[in-house]
Amino acid sequence: MLLELIFLGIIGVVFVIVGWLVWQKEKINLIHSYHYERVTEEDKKPYTAIMGKGTIVIGLGIIFTGTIDFITQTGWGWIVFGICFVIGLGCMIYAGLKYNR
């Protein structure tokens, strides 16, 4: 369980950092070019905000999964991951449909 906590913690932190860079620093190039090639310059800020927040939600879900599984010694953390993944992915799909057309 400790190995799972460490592994998921590292992966989760990477997702949170990438999400923060996309959201706050508007590093749109961290997203695959296909997903932003039709985003206009004036839509760049709201697009990166939604994409970054979605990535952060997924990263936090990964961190919470490892923490909950480590504390409880059960698989309940994966339910949290599933919920966070669906929310984060939903944000990303919404941003893509709205701004990338």
Side-chain angles (χ1 to χ4, degrees):
M1 286 295 190
L2 181 60
L3 183 61
E4 177 187 23
L5 175 64
I6 294 168
F7 179 73
L8 291 177
I10 291 169
I11 299 298
V13 168
V14 168
F15 268 76
V16 170
I17 290 170
V18 169
W20 182 82
L21 288 172
V22 170
W23 173 25
Q24 292 295 317
K25 301 293 184 180
E26 296 180 18
K27 299 279 187 179
I28 200 167
N29 60 332
L30 293 175
I31 305 168
H32 192 281
S33 63
Y34 171 81
H35 296 290
Y36 68 84
E37 64 188 10
R38 285 177 261 158
V39 175
T40 62
E41 193 60 38
E42 61 267 5
D43 288 340
K44 181 181 172 186
K45 186 169 183 74
Y47 176 76
T48 56
I50 295 171
M51 291 295 283
K53 290 174 187 175
T55 306
I56 289 172
V57 169
I58 292 172
L60 291 175
I62 294 169
I63 293 169
F64 292 152
T65 299
T67 305
I68 292 169
D69 285 354
F70 182 74
I71 292 171
T72 64
Q73 301 291 315
T74 64
W76 287 103
W78 290 100
I79 294 172
V80 173
F81 171 74
I83 292 168
C84 290
F85 183 80
V86 167
I87 292 169
L89 187 62
C91 290
M92 293 175 171
I93 291 171
Y94 168 76
L97 291 174
K98 182 171 183 175
Y99 297 109
N100 197 31
R101 296 166 192 75

